[in-house]
Structures are given as structure tokens and as C-alpha cells.
Amino acid sequence: MLNAAQERAVSHLGGPCLVIAGAGSGKTRVITHKIARLLQAGYAPTEIAAITFTNKAAAEMRERAKVLLDDRKAAQGLVIATFHALGVRMLREDGQALGLKPQFSILDADDVGGLLREAGGTTDAKLARSWQWRISQWKSALLDPHDAARQAQTPEDAQAAKVWLRYAEQLNAYQAVDFDDLMVLPLRLLQQHADVRERWNTRLRYLLVDEYQDTSDAQYQLLKLLAGTQGRFTAVGDDDQSIYGWRGATLDNLRQLPIDYPTLEVIKLEQNYRSTNAILRAANAVIAANPKLYPKSLWSDHGEGDAVEVREADSDDDEAERIVARVQALRGGRGAKLSDIAVLYRANHQSRPIEQALRRANIPYVVSGGQSFFERAEIKDVCAYLRLLANPDDDPAFLRAVTTPKRGIGAATLKSLGTFATQWKVSLFDALFREALPGIVGARHAEGLREFARLMHDIDWRERTEPAGPLLRELLAAIGYEAHLRETADNEREASQRWSNVGDFCDWITRKAEEDGASLKRMAQMVALITQLAERGDRQDAVTLSTLHAAKGLEWQHVVLAGCEEGLLPFFTEDRPLTDTGLEEERRLMYVGVTRARQTLVLSHCRKRRAAGRSSRSPEPSRFLTELRAELPKVDGRAAALARIAAMKVRKQGETDGVAAM
């Protein structure tokens, strides 16, 4: 059954329609039911296009359409695709009008980087990435290389524009396109070739656009050309969930729609089918401070539910331990599955202490929207040495350790060693001690391999009596790992960050070993075990750790939103102060985080948090907590937390919104 607002949205077929779909209000249900209604009205499946932003969303919509429609063949004929996939289809069929062959190539990011280095006459990968980012921005703004050259205001932009011109010539010569071209070239195709535009207008008689608030200028222009003068489309979106301004999405498209289409029908979906009213009141309160294009207020039939809680921790490590306690309480007290629980945060680096705490508690987790701390290359390098210490027969760990840092031992030597080990039916590490080794790999390489073996034996002997943390640091010094990072990183900042990550890992090993009275080998065995658990995380019941951006469109029964602090959420730095526009998007990001929760929501902040390296800062609670303070009860007897939030409001009165405290 559809509610009244959903029914209005589904039944409006006569002209342009904008559905303002609040979080959890059933927008995908509206889109799939509208597809069914269009088919009932006489549209052929091939005449309907539903456009999404991700392959996952397209797949979900396709499956739901199959379930809804009795005729599976009808569902198969529908065009359900991302903007870029639709762009590929258009270029395959009509790209010849732009000089493209039907079997043109689509370059990935690595291919693009290589061509840009060639076009710019450089081997500097970092410089090529900066050009790639700038060219992508220009393409999103619908500029060409000549436009970019004319508008360049800095020497860097002028250089990037010259590189772009040569890069464009390369793409043309190779009959290739990049990811941005999949949006820009179809638009150019329809703008410059009326016959092609008319053919696509006839072919796609009705368009449904999901997540309309995330469209860029190029995507809106393409939508207008495909929809034709009659505006045969339904756009579904939410101005309160526009969080991708940094990649070209603009709310101007929502503002422009009623201007370009005066007969636009606007329908609001305000009934939420996901969350309790306690959570929705918090969501409504935090987003209320933003200017409104289409005011709305979410409500639910799910009852009041548990109060939204705010919790203050002493530090980010304490915050992580409290999160673990929360997970354990939900499992024990409510019988929640781990997959029902999510920990959300603004920045990837916040996952590190949370991952460490979950691993200490042997709680499986998966990381979404960023790289797991324990999946970073530098941590995997160190873990390879520990895995080999725990199990000398671990051949993959041996291969990673013996080649990192480089010891002059190449692929040919390792291939010979592998053949030798197979013949003797021993592990690669054990093969290093066979007398015949020099005759197999050569005397010089044999000596290098045995030097590595002596190092590992020395650590194995000493770990019985020496503390784990200092011994691990001594191992890293012996292999020159810091120098290796500085030699292989793109720049000094990256090298320092990677070495800082290694330092954090060593600190964790030190603390855990001291707490448990464990040797380095015992710690190594634990690391090997939890690494295997993590590798199976996507196939088992596991807690989700996710950035707020990656969490959009998802939901969980229980959510902890960590790091609700000034400087994190909202995010700003001295080099990147907060503007009015930036503050509004950060507030929408907070709103997205709050509305991911179905049953319970905990908002967490710290008195102290580690910044870059080992330094720490004392952040203020987020101003967003102040804005929804009426919905936050006192928790665990910590009245001081709310008092600090209230005090912050007093201090910030009179400040202009969006100006960061310096």
C-alpha cells in the first residue's frame, strides 16, 4: 500500500514532477511503483529510463522492479542505469557523430594518470594527479581546454590547461574516453546534433531520476535535453541530503527546476518508515538551522523509541572502548546481530582506535567508504613480519617480508627458491637453511636471504625475554623501514603519515602486550588470527564502520556517530576555514548520519583527541549537538557534557554562521 503522498507522486504522469523524499520515506518504492503505473498507462518498457548514481542502487531498483512487475520480460526491457552507464550506451550508438568509433576504449584512473604524465612530459605521479583533478573539475563545469586556458588565473592552472589540450589529442588519437567524458560527451552529442536528440527523445519517453539533489550541472543539462520540452520526467531527491558539493553536485539544480518548468508538480514525502520519533525529532532539530528550499518535517508511526543519547569520552581511545562496550551491550541486552550495528564518522582516520578496540575484543567488523587501518600497506608490511614470526611456514608472509624493504632479491630468485622449496617439501623460510641453497639461487642472493633468516631467528630468540613493543620497534629500525617509507612515498607528508600509522600500531602492540603480559610472538599469533577474521568479515556477522558519505542510502538498527566535535563535524582546519555554504553541507552530513538509525542512536564526542602524529587537542563539542540539545538526555550521570554544550552556545552567540573559530 502507498500512503497518500506516495500515491500522488506515482499517479502524476502528465508533466514534470519533483518528489521531495525525506530520509526513509520510501523513494525507491515510489520510483518502482511509478514504473509499473507508466507501463499500465501504455508506455513500453524500453521507453522508460530510471537513472541512479551507483551500480548498487541500479541493481537494487532492477530487482525491486522484477518483484513488483508480473511480467519479468517487461522488467528486463527497462533502462535502469547510472548516468555514466547511460552515457556509454548513447556514445556506443551515436558517438560516431562526434568522431568516436562504436568500440572506443574507456580509461581507468591509472590509464589516465599515465597519459597525463606523458602529455606533461613528467614522471611525477603527484603532479599528474593534480592535473587529473583539475581537468575533471573543468569538464564538470562544461569547459574545454581552450576555455580553461583563457580562464587560468595561476601558473599551475595554465600548465594544466596546456596538458589537457595534449591529453585531449591523445584521447582522440587512441579512440578513448575517460570517466568524465561519459557525462560531457553525451551532452555535447545532444546539443550539437538535433537528429540524435530527437531520436533519443522519441526512444526514452519518460525519465525517473533518483538522488536528484546530487546532480551536477552537466547531468541537469543532459536531463533537460533527454526530457524534451514537455518535461516527461520525475526527479526524486531531498535538499536536506545534498552532501556531494565537493564532487560537483549543486543545489542550484533544485532551485532551477521550477524556473525551467513552471508547471512542475512538487510532492513531499514526510512519513518516515525507518526510524523512531525520538530519532526523527533529533534529525528535524539539527537540519532546522539550514535555509530551506522545500521545508518538511519527518514523522513516523514507529512510536517514540529510545531517547537519543550523547556521550562524552576522555579521549579517542576511551571513545573506542565505550563503542565496544555499546556493541557488547546491544548483543547481550537486545540480542542484536553485529550486522545491525554501525559506527559512523566524518573522516577515515577516526577508524583507527575503533578498529583496534574491536580487534582487542575479537569483534568482527567491515570498513565501508575508506581503507581499514589494518589494510594499509605499511601495517600489512609490519604484520607480515609478525605473521612469519608466529608461523615460519606462512609463505605469503615470507614473500612480503623478504621483499619489504628491498634486499636485492628479485622475482627470478624467489621463483628459484619456490621451486627448490617444493622439491624438498618445505616452506620458503625453511628452505633458506638448506646447504644446497647457494647452488640454486647463487652465493650472493643466498647470503642476502640468510641474513634475513638470521634477523628473524634473532627476534625469535629475544622475544622470550624482552618486552614486545620495544623489540618490534628495534626490528623496524634494523630493517630501515622508516627510510623505506620515505623512499617509496610520493611526498614527505605521505611518508610522515604512513610512519605515524606504524607508530600507532607499535603503540597498540605495546599496550596490549603489557595488559596481557604477552610476548611479541603471542602478539604475532593474535595479529595473524584477527587478520584472518578481518579477511572473512564480509562473509560473517560483523559491525560496520563507515564514513558518513559512504553511509548515505544505508540504514542500521543501531548507530553510534563518533567524533561529534568542532573541527571534525563540522569539519574545518586553519587551512580550510568553514564557509556558510560549507557549514550548511556539514549540517546536512550530520542529518544523514542521524537518519541512518532505526532504533537507537548514540552521539559521541571526546574531551581530548589525537591530531596528526602524537599531539592531541581539546575540541569543543559540535555545534550540531547544541542545535539538538533539547532532544539529548543526560547520560551516565555526565551532566557536565551537556553543560559544556550549553556553554558553547553562549560563547558562540553573535558569531556569524559558517565562520570557524580560529
mmCIF file of all heavy atoms in Angstrom, residues 171-191:
data_model
loop_
_atom_site.group_PDB
_atom_site.id
_atom_site.type_symbol
_atom_site.label_atom_id
_atom_site.label_comp_id
_atom_site.label_asym_id
_atom_site.label_seq_id
_atom_site.Cartn_x
_atom_site.Cartn_y
_atom_site.Cartn_z
ATOM 1 N N LEU A 171 43.564 11.265 -26.390
ATOM 2 C CA LEU A 171 42.310 10.522 -26.306
ATOM 3 C C LEU A 171 41.691 10.350 -27.686
ATOM 4 O O LEU A 171 41.193 9.269 -28.039
ATOM 5 C CB LEU A 171 41.322 11.237 -25.380
ATOM 6 C CG LEU A 171 41.641 11.254 -23.883
ATOM 7 C CD1 LEU A 171 40.569 12.036 -23.123
ATOM 8 C CD2 LEU A 171 41.740 9.845 -23.321
ATOM 9 N N ASN A 172 41.718 11.423 -28.457
ATOM 10 C CA ASN A 172 41.150 11.363 -29.805
ATOM 11 C C ASN A 172 41.919 10.369 -30.676
ATOM 12 O O ASN A 172 41.321 9.562 -31.401
ATOM 13 C CB ASN A 172 41.180 12.754 -30.434
ATOM 14 C CG ASN A 172 40.491 12.787 -31.786
ATOM 15 O OD1 ASN A 172 39.339 12.398 -31.912
ATOM 16 N ND2 ASN A 172 41.204 13.256 -32.807
ATOM 17 N N ALA A 173 43.243 10.406 -30.593
ATOM 18 C CA ALA A 173 44.070 9.506 -31.394
ATOM 19 C C ALA A 173 43.868 8.055 -30.981
ATOM 20 O O ALA A 173 43.870 7.152 -31.831
ATOM 21 C CB ALA A 173 45.541 9.893 -31.260
ATOM 22 N N TYR A 174 43.679 7.813 -29.678
ATOM 23 C CA TYR A 174 43.525 6.449 -29.178
ATOM 24 C C TYR A 174 42.076 5.954 -29.230
ATOM 25 O O TYR A 174 41.807 4.812 -28.868
ATOM 26 C CB TYR A 174 44.017 6.356 -27.731
ATOM 27 C CG TYR A 174 45.482 6.646 -27.546
ATOM 28 C CD1 TYR A 174 45.965 7.101 -26.329
ATOM 29 C CD2 TYR A 174 46.383 6.467 -28.587
ATOM 30 C CE1 TYR A 174 47.323 7.372 -26.144
ATOM 31 C CE2 TYR A 174 47.734 6.737 -28.417
ATOM 32 C CZ TYR A 174 48.199 7.186 -27.201
ATOM 33 O OH TYR A 174 49.535 7.453 -27.041
ATOM 34 N N GLN A 175 41.149 6.832 -29.686
ATOM 35 C CA GLN A 175 39.726 6.492 -29.671
ATOM 36 C C GLN A 175 39.323 6.031 -28.266
ATOM 37 O O GLN A 175 38.781 4.944 -28.059
ATOM 38 C CB GLN A 175 39.419 5.420 -30.708
ATOM 39 C CG GLN A 175 39.344 5.945 -32.130
ATOM 40 C CD GLN A 175 38.117 6.813 -32.364
ATOM 41 O OE1 GLN A 175 36.978 6.354 -32.314
ATOM 42 N NE2 GLN A 175 38.340 8.104 -32.605
ATOM 43 N N ALA A 176 39.604 6.902 -27.299
ATOM 44 C CA ALA A 176 39.362 6.577 -25.896
ATOM 45 C C ALA A 176 38.662 7.741 -25.201
ATOM 46 O O ALA A 176 38.733 8.893 -25.653
ATOM 47 C CB ALA A 176 40.677 6.256 -25.188
ATOM 48 N N VAL A 177 37.980 7.434 -24.100
ATOM 49 C CA VAL A 177 37.337 8.449 -23.267
ATOM 50 C C VAL A 177 37.679 8.151 -21.820
ATOM 51 O O VAL A 177 38.014 7.011 -21.461
ATOM 52 C CB VAL A 177 35.806 8.473 -23.454
ATOM 53 C CG1 VAL A 177 35.441 8.767 -24.902
ATOM 54 C CG2 VAL A 177 35.180 7.149 -23.000
ATOM 55 N N ASP A 178 37.593 9.163 -20.959
ATOM 56 C CA ASP A 178 37.749 8.934 -19.528
ATOM 57 C C ASP A 178 36.378 9.024 -18.862
ATOM 58 O O ASP A 178 35.351 9.237 -19.519
ATOM 59 C CB ASP A 178 38.766 9.897 -18.912
ATOM 60 C CG ASP A 178 38.375 11.369 -19.052
ATOM 61 O OD1 ASP A 178 37.162 11.665 -19.181
ATOM 62 O OD2 ASP A 178 39.278 12.230 -19.035
ATOM 63 N N PHE A 179 36.366 8.849 -17.544
ATOM 64 C CA PHE A 179 35.103 8.771 -16.809
ATOM 65 C C PHE A 179 34.279 10.047 -16.956
ATOM 66 O O PHE A 179 33.061 9.995 -17.143
ATOM 67 C CB PHE A 179 35.391 8.489 -15.338
ATOM 68 C CG PHE A 179 34.184 8.121 -14.533
ATOM 69 C CD1 PHE A 179 33.539 6.910 -14.728
ATOM 70 C CD2 PHE A 179 33.682 8.975 -13.563
ATOM 71 C CE1 PHE A 179 32.419 6.547 -13.983
ATOM 72 C CE2 PHE A 179 32.572 8.633 -12.811
ATOM 73 C CZ PHE A 179 31.932 7.411 -13.022
ATOM 74 N N ASP A 180 34.925 11.200 -16.902
ATOM 75 C CA ASP A 180 34.192 12.462 -17.028
ATOM 76 C C ASP A 180 33.582 12.621 -18.414
ATOM 77 O O ASP A 180 32.509 13.220 -18.568
ATOM 78 C CB ASP A 180 35.124 13.640 -16.730
ATOM 79 C CG ASP A 180 35.616 13.640 -15.295
ATOM 80 O OD1 ASP A 180 34.782 13.620 -14.379
ATOM 81 O OD2 ASP A 180 36.840 13.642 -15.088
ATOM 82 N N ASP A 181 34.257 12.096 -19.431
ATOM 83 C CA ASP A 181 33.738 12.201 -20.797
ATOM 84 C C ASP A 181 32.403 11.488 -20.955
ATOM 85 O O ASP A 181 31.598 11.844 -21.829
ATOM 86 C CB ASP A 181 34.738 11.598 -21.789
ATOM 87 C CG ASP A 181 35.989 12.444 -21.951
ATOM 88 O OD1 ASP A 181 35.886 13.676 -21.794
ATOM 89 O OD2 ASP A 181 37.059 11.885 -22.226
ATOM 90 N N LEU A 182 32.155 10.474 -20.127
ATOM 91 C CA LEU A 182 30.908 9.721 -20.235
ATOM 92 C C LEU A 182 29.697 10.574 -19.877
ATOM 93 O O LEU A 182 28.556 10.182 -20.152
ATOM 94 C CB LEU A 182 30.957 8.481 -19.337
ATOM 95 C CG LEU A 182 32.045 7.466 -19.682
ATOM 96 C CD1 LEU A 182 32.011 6.299 -18.706
ATOM 97 C CD2 LEU A 182 31.902 6.977 -21.116
ATOM 98 N N MET A 183 29.937 11.733 -19.274
ATOM 99 C CA MET A 183 28.865 12.662 -18.989
ATOM 100 C C MET A 183 28.896 13.850 -19.949
ATOM 101 O O MET A 183 27.860 14.296 -20.454
ATOM 102 C CB MET A 183 29.006 13.182 -17.546
ATOM 103 C CG MET A 183 27.715 13.668 -16.919
ATOM 104 S SD MET A 183 26.639 12.293 -16.489
ATOM 105 C CE MET A 183 25.705 12.094 -17.998
ATOM 106 N N VAL A 184 30.084 14.328 -20.244
ATOM 107 C CA VAL A 184 30.230 15.538 -21.057
ATOM 108 C C VAL A 184 29.943 15.263 -22.532
ATOM 109 O O VAL A 184 29.251 16.052 -23.202
ATOM 110 C CB VAL A 184 31.652 16.122 -20.888
ATOM 111 C CG1 VAL A 184 31.850 17.304 -21.820
ATOM 112 C CG2 VAL A 184 31.890 16.524 -19.441
ATOM 113 N N LEU A 185 30.439 14.148 -23.068
ATOM 114 C CA LEU A 185 30.276 13.877 -24.498
ATOM 115 C C LEU A 185 28.828 13.577 -24.889
ATOM 116 O O LEU A 185 28.367 14.061 -25.941
ATOM 117 C CB LEU A 185 31.204 12.737 -24.924
ATOM 118 C CG LEU A 185 32.701 13.058 -24.860
ATOM 119 C CD1 LEU A 185 33.518 11.865 -25.337
ATOM 120 C CD2 LEU A 185 33.035 14.295 -25.693
ATOM 121 N N PRO A 186 28.047 12.806 -24.111
ATOM 122 C CA PRO A 186 26.631 12.655 -24.467
ATOM 123 C C PRO A 186 25.886 13.991 -24.470
ATOM 124 O O PRO A 186 25.005 14.205 -25.315
ATOM 125 C CB PRO A 186 26.097 11.727 -23.371
ATOM 126 C CG PRO A 186 27.281 10.937 -22.942
ATOM 127 C CD PRO A 186 28.426 11.903 -23.007
ATOM 128 N N LEU A 187 26.238 14.878 -23.541
ATOM 129 C CA LEU A 187 25.617 16.198 -23.525
ATOM 130 C C LEU A 187 25.960 16.957 -24.803
ATOM 131 O O LEU A 187 25.080 17.553 -25.450
ATOM 132 C CB LEU A 187 26.085 16.975 -22.289
ATOM 133 C CG LEU A 187 25.605 18.422 -22.180
ATOM 134 C CD1 LEU A 187 24.088 18.503 -22.182
ATOM 135 C CD2 LEU A 187 26.169 19.069 -20.912
ATOM 136 N N ARG A 188 27.231 16.931 -25.180
ATOM 137 C CA ARG A 188 27.647 17.604 -26.412
ATOM 138 C C ARG A 188 26.951 16.984 -27.616
ATOM 139 O O ARG A 188 26.538 17.679 -28.559
ATOM 140 C CB ARG A 188 29.158 17.511 -26.564
ATOM 141 C CG ARG A 188 29.728 18.308 -27.729
ATOM 142 C CD ARG A 188 31.233 18.132 -27.813
ATOM 143 N NE ARG A 188 31.881 18.508 -26.566
ATOM 144 C CZ ARG A 188 33.133 18.212 -26.253
ATOM 145 N NH1 ARG A 188 33.869 17.482 -27.096
ATOM 146 N NH2 ARG A 188 33.652 18.594 -25.103
ATOM 147 N N LEU A 189 26.791 15.681 -27.590
ATOM 148 C CA LEU A 189 26.122 14.968 -28.679
ATOM 149 C C LEU A 189 24.700 15.489 -28.882
ATOM 150 O O LEU A 189 24.276 15.781 -30.019
ATOM 151 C CB LEU A 189 26.106 13.473 -28.349
ATOM 152 C CG LEU A 189 25.492 12.508 -29.357
ATOM 153 C CD1 LEU A 189 26.327 12.461 -30.625
ATOM 154 C CD2 LEU A 189 25.380 11.113 -28.740
ATOM 155 N N LEU A 190 23.946 15.619 -27.803
ATOM 156 C CA LEU A 190 22.566 16.084 -27.912
ATOM 157 C C LEU A 190 22.487 17.567 -28.233
ATOM 158 O O LEU A 190 21.560 18.017 -28.919
ATOM 159 C CB LEU A 190 21.811 15.792 -26.612
ATOM 160 C CG LEU A 190 21.675 14.319 -26.204
ATOM 161 C CD1 LEU A 190 20.744 14.188 -25.014
ATOM 162 C CD2 LEU A 190 21.192 13.462 -27.351
ATOM 163 N N GLN A 191 23.431 18.347 -27.739
ATOM 164 C CA GLN A 191 23.428 19.786 -28.008
ATOM 165 C C GLN A 191 23.733 20.100 -29.471
ATOM 166 O O GLN A 191 23.139 21.007 -30.059
ATOM 167 C CB GLN A 191 24.456 20.496 -27.113
ATOM 168 C CG GLN A 191 24.078 20.580 -25.647
ATOM 169 C CD GLN A 191 25.193 21.144 -24.792
ATOM 170 O OE1 GLN A 191 26.374 20.961 -25.113
ATOM 171 N NE2 GLN A 191 24.846 21.803 -23.694
#
